[in-house]
Amino acid sequence: MRGIRSTPARRANREDRGQAAVEYVGILPLLLLVGALVIQLGLAVFAVQQAGTASRAAARMASYDHPDRTFREAGRDAMSDWLADDARFDVEARRDEVTVTATVPIPSVIPGLLDGMEARRSATMPIDDH
């Protein structure tokens, strides 16, 4: 029996062995960064949505003559608990309407990326005169 000769294709395969692993290790940090940024974007959108929901609930409660709780409590109750603790509510009352602005800090997945950024939404409701 004759020995198996090494063809040029086989030699190329042996020389390329491990190249895929090196390329994967090189691209892995970029993939992780993109994944973290997608999660961060989702958290920012969620914080904006929660601020909008909280401002509407708080404005509705602030518009009542005899509310069963404060507008701040109503706004926090309308939010997810993990965001509600740091939420702030500002009210501006006029003669026939009330506007509540909810401000919610945006959580950061990557430390230092969005430090100090906040989602802010306002809602206006007519004052209930009953």
Side-chain angles (χ1 to χ4, degrees):
M1 280 185 89
R2 294 175 42 166
I4 300 175
R5 280 196 239 170
S6 181
T7 63
R10 283 199 177 148
R11 273 181 286 197
N13 280 343
R14 269 188 255 133
E15 292 170 4
D16 290 343
R17 203 173 281 171
Q19 182 176 348
V22 170
E23 290 172 358
Y24 181 73
V25 169
I27 198 79
L28 186 63
L30 180 63
L31 292 174
L32 291 173
L33 179 64
V34 168
L37 289 175
V38 167
I39 292 170
Q40 183 63 65
L41 177 64
L43 281 173
V45 169
F46 183 70
V48 169
Q49 181 271 331
Q50 290 287 287
T53 300
S55 67
R56 283 189 302 277
R60 189 175 303 114
M61 193 60 64
S63 71
Y64 294 153
D65 274 344
H66 304 290
D68 60 349
R69 57 195 163 156
T70 68
F71 69 92
R72 286 182 179 89
E73 290 170 336
R76 285 193 175 93
D77 288 346
M79 298 176 63
S80 293
D81 291 338
W82 61 280
L83 286 176
D85 293 337
D86 297 326
R88 293 188 323 270
F89 298 91
D90 299 311
V91 65
E92 181 182 335
R94 293 181 204 83
R95 190 174 55 88
D96 57 345
E97 64 185 18
V98 62
T99 300
V100 175
T101 301
T103 305
V104 178
I106 298 174
S108 182
V109 172
I110 301 171
L113 182 65
L114 294 179
D115 287 347
M117 298 221 34
E118 299 174 323
R120 184 173 291 122
R121 289 289 178 257
S122 297
T124 301
M125 296 281 176
I127 291 181
D128 181 25
D129 54 357
H130 289 88

